[in-house]
Amino acid sequence: MKRISNYHTFAAAALLFLSSCNDGFLEKYPETEIGQESFFNNEQDLNLASLRLYDFPSVGGYYISDAVTDNAWTTGSAELKNMMVSTPSAESLTSGWDWEKVRNCNFFLENFRRAAVSEQRLNHYEGLGRFFRARAYVEKVKRYSDVPWIEQTVSTDNEGILFAARDPRELVVGKILEDYDFAINNIDETAPNGAVNRWVAKADYARFLLYEGTFRKYHPELNLTSSADALLQRAVEVAQDVITNGGFFIHNTGNPREDYGSLFFNTNLFAVGEIIFARDYAHELLNGDVWDTSDGVFGNYEVFPVKDLVQAYLMEDGSFYSAQPNYAQNEFVDEFKNRDPRMYQTLAYPGWELVRSGTYLQGSGLYVQQLAKNFSGYHQIKGLYNTTNLQERNNIDLPLYRFAETLLIYAEAKAELGQLTQGDLDISVNMLRARAGMPGMTLNPPVDPVQAAKFPNVSSPQRAEILEIRRERRIELAFEGFRHDDLMRWEVGKLLEKEPQGIYFSRLGQHDLNGDGVPDIILLPASESIPAQRETNSLGVPFIYYRVGTFANPDVSVFLSSPTSGNVQVVENAGTFETPKYYYRPIPQSQIQLNPNLGDQLFGW
């Protein structure tokens, strides 16, 4: 049985103790005064108080992370999806203006030095406080760009802060960088499993430096383009430090059909050299499986993969899938032939066996898609705990920072600066391709016209390299929560106007979906009814019937792009992405009314 670390046992108790301390931005609660007077006395107090700052994703991260991107779509409600098909305003977009995380960090930073511990230990805890404050402000900058910088605990009598104006993005980011720099120089290099150490802070810092550097480069409305390269150069430096000195390595046992996928179905990620940081779960103590992931992660509830991601994977010989004759008309079985092995470890493929069926209508066994209105026909297996063993499912850890991401940060920042060498590729991108059994990337690679059309604004002299590094990032990090931010920082939100699509059917009639050469389903025209007595295929298995049609005829089982053939249709109209407006969010109008000093809304809001 897996044993969770003492740190997590302590953490679970600490979080229960602190659960009464949640506060709003304007609230001053009695526990604050108690804490100031009697709590920050020793290192145990500091450790307990620092746990309140932890805000990392937990189980379910694979399920919602890439929704409303060109990787995945959702039938549920999502902010950006709703914005694109409606008329959003500062009155309707009211979430996000929450300052509890910042307040918690500032409260900790104002009080931690009361403890009787060494200066070195105090610096470690200051580093933790500033690390989490930086993370909290990163989310504010991403959403609003200009926000008030607050570095003290706010209560109702702090009118100077309560009625403060926005600070410019450049100032706020400067403060964020100061917090990160202190953190990476003072947090302990080692820590118990599940606790933040210096390498976690550096990985997070490099992530933000790449984000902000490329965001400034590709968003002229900020008027900060001239400062982009300095941030990208710093991203290179921090990522290189992790590469050179962190002791991490890409998990590779020489089995390209399993090594990648095993990272997301692992009960002891802290023993894997690629993992910089993870959520550590243990059965009946801190369960890693809190819902039916066969419906959630698998893509049979709201969120599901779409065709654009499927078409992004290279062929196994390294050539472009888009170079295959009539590639867009390949049916499901043919789509998966001779592709990058990571595709088979991310998406359910012909011949894959479903063990944990949950409420999946088709049940366990050889995978056959369950088609339904507004679903793509593709299913996700990355992060799917495909076992009926509850104890094993509850022990599965969640990777949060992988060395693979740091390698991709390094390569992308280098290419954006026009500094990428073959040696850089060999220690970054090609480490990931080697694990997958894929040919290595070289300088001056051929340009895929499909990829180039997605990113017409790439300005680096190493444009061809950037296009392939972006592909590599998409494939390696699929469903880990990066794609939305990537599309936003690259200033390609317009890609989301393309209606997401599902699998392709060339005709009505019988189709083989599991790759055994025997048809599994029958597509009927909208004018026909599903027979009460179903035929069986040559294996004696009853056919699954679907009535198909277009959005013009909603009384069908599956929508296609034409009445008798085409791609499965997910949504009739994805809407409009307004630029630069939708790269940001407005401050809720209610907050402007409370504090007129916040000023006018930015970027068309």
Side-chain angles (χ1 to χ4, degrees), residues 224-242:
L224 294 174
T225 305
S226 62
S227 58
D229 282 0
L231 292 166
L232 292 170
Q233 187 61 54
R234 184 68 175 133
V236 169
E237 294 166 0
V238 176
Q240 189 168 34
D241 181 20
V242 177

Side-chain angles (χ1 to χ4, degrees), residues 109-371:
L109 289 167
E110 285 179 356
N111 290 283
F112 78 98
R113 286 192 173 271
R114 296 172 180 269
V117 298
S118 69
E119 185 67 19
Q120 180 184 9
R121 300 310 298 149
L122 289 173
N123 286 340
H124 163 74
Y125 284 102
E126 181 175 352
L128 286 176
R130 295 182 71 169
F131 168 71
F132 284 108
R133 183 170 66 186
R135 282 174 50 85
Y137 260 105
V138 165
E139 295 309 310
K140 292 284 181 270
V141 167
K142 286 180 179 179
R143 189 169 177 87
Y144 303 109
S145 196
D146 295 357
V147 292
W149 175 260
I150 303 167
E151 51 188 14
Q152 68 182 77
T153 307
V154 181
S155 59
T156 54
D157 57 356
N158 295 128
E159 292 191 6
I161 298 176
L162 290 173
F163 295 98
R166 280 175 157 180
D167 288 308
R169 183 186 187 114
E170 196 168 18
L171 182 151
V172 176
V173 169
K175 294 290 188 179
I176 291 172
L177 301 186
E178 289 176 10
D179 276 354
Y180 272 124
D181 279 326
F182 188 91
I184 67 171
N185 286 305
N186 290 279
I187 294 176
D188 290 348
E189 285 199 10
T190 60
N193 291 350
V196 168
N197 61 30
R198 190 174 299 186
W199 300 110
V200 178
K202 288 180 177 181
D204 196 77
Y205 190 15
R207 178 185 292 179
F208 175 64
L209 287 163
L210 179 70
Y211 175 90
E212 184 66 10
T214 49
F215 200 97
R216 292 188 184 192
K217 180 173 182 176
Y218 291 107
H219 285 267
E221 71 274 7
L222 292 177
N223 295 315
L224 294 174
T225 305
S226 62
S227 58
D229 282 0
L231 292 166
L232 292 170
Q233 187 61 54
R234 184 68 175 133
V236 169
E237 294 166 0
V238 176
Q240 189 168 34
D241 181 20
V242 177
I243 294 169
T244 304
N245 301 312
F248 303 102
F249 54 89
I250 293 301
H251 171 68
N252 186 353
T253 70
N255 189 341
R257 291 281 172 167
E258 294 184 4
D259 286 339
Y260 172 76
S262 67
L263 291 169
F264 313 100
F265 191 65
N266 195 303
T267 60
N268 188 17
L269 277 178
F270 285 96
V272 179
E274 182 171 336
I275 302 303
I276 299 174
F277 191 58
R279 288 296 298 264
D280 191 10
Y281 289 104
H283 180 58
E284 294 184 343
L285 179 60
L286 189 62
N287 289 338
D289 188 45
V290 297
W291 64 342
D292 192 350
T293 50
S294 62
D295 293 322
V297 171
F298 192 47
N300 202 53
Y301 176 55
E302 288 184 351
V303 180
F304 46 85
V306 296
K307 180 175 285 290
D308 200 274
L309 173 62
V310 173
Q311 294 180 333
Y313 286 85
L314 295 172
M315 304 299 292
E316 64 182 358
D317 64 2
S319 62
F320 306 133
Y321 177 65
S322 59
Q324 303 297 307
N326 301 314
Y327 76 95
Q329 283 74 50
N330 277 340
E331 295 202 20
F332 181 73
V333 172
D334 288 334
E335 282 186 305
F336 279 83
K337 290 180 178 177
N338 306 318
R339 306 294 295 278
D340 182 332
R342 286 171 292 186
M343 184 171 173
Y344 312 103
Q345 296 164 75
T346 302
L347 301 166
Y349 53 87
W352 178 73
E353 183 178 358
L354 177 62
V355 175
R356 182 188 179 187
S357 60
T359 59
Y360 188 58
L361 185 62
Q362 311 301 73
S364 60
L366 202 60
Y367 165 65
V368 176
Q369 285 96 324
Q370 176 182 324
L371 304 179

Side-chain angles (χ1 to χ4, degrees), residues 375-393:
F375 285 87
S376 65
Y378 296 110
H379 289 92
Q380 175 185 339
I381 60 173
K382 180 177 177 178
L384 169 66
Y385 312 155
N386 191 27
T387 175
T388 57
N389 186 320
L390 179 61
Q391 179 172 324
E392 185 176 354
R393 295 202 307 256

Side-chain angles (χ1 to χ4, degrees), residues 5-132:
S5 65
N6 289 334
Y7 177 82
H8 275 92
T9 304
F10 178 66
L15 292 175
L16 287 173
F17 174 79
L18 291 169
S19 62
S20 63
C21 298
N22 291 334
D23 61 286
F25 179 41
L26 298 180
E27 294 180 48
K28 182 177 181 181
Y29 48 83
E31 288 86 344
T32 299
E33 295 177 356
I34 293 172
Q36 287 173 329
E37 296 296 329
S38 61
F39 187 68
F40 291 90
N41 298 317
N42 51 47
E43 183 151 7
Q44 184 176 13
D45 288 353
L46 295 184
N47 199 20
L48 182 63
S50 70
L51 292 176
R52 188 183 180 198
L53 309 181
Y54 279 61
D55 59 349
F56 297 105
S58 58
V59 290
Y62 299 116
Y63 163 57
I64 61 172
S65 58
D66 281 2
V68 195
T69 70
D70 53 356
N71 280 0
W73 204 251
T74 179
T75 62
S77 180
E79 184 181 67
L80 182 54
K81 173 188 169 184
N82 296 339
M83 286 168 54
M84 290 177 61
V85 296
S86 65
T87 307
S89 68
E91 287 81 8
S92 62
L93 296 173
T94 59
S95 63
W97 196 257
D98 182 336
W99 293 83
E100 181 180 2
K101 290 181 182 179
V102 173
R103 189 185 195 280
N104 289 344
C105 293
N106 286 336
F107 175 68
F108 178 85
L109 289 167
E110 285 179 356
N111 290 283
F112 78 98
R113 286 192 173 271
R114 296 172 180 269
V117 298
S118 69
E119 185 67 19
Q120 180 184 9
R121 300 310 298 149
L122 289 173
N123 286 340
H124 163 74
Y125 284 102
E126 181 175 352
L128 286 176
R130 295 182 71 169
F131 168 71
F132 284 108

Side-chain angles (χ1 to χ4, degrees), residues 460-478:
S460 169
Q462 293 187 308
R463 175 174 177 267
E465 288 83 353
I466 288 175
L467 293 176
E468 285 311 303
I469 290 170
R470 288 185 180 186
R471 183 200 304 276
E472 191 70 20
R473 181 177 174 88
R474 182 183 192 182
I475 298 309
E476 179 69 27
L477 302 179

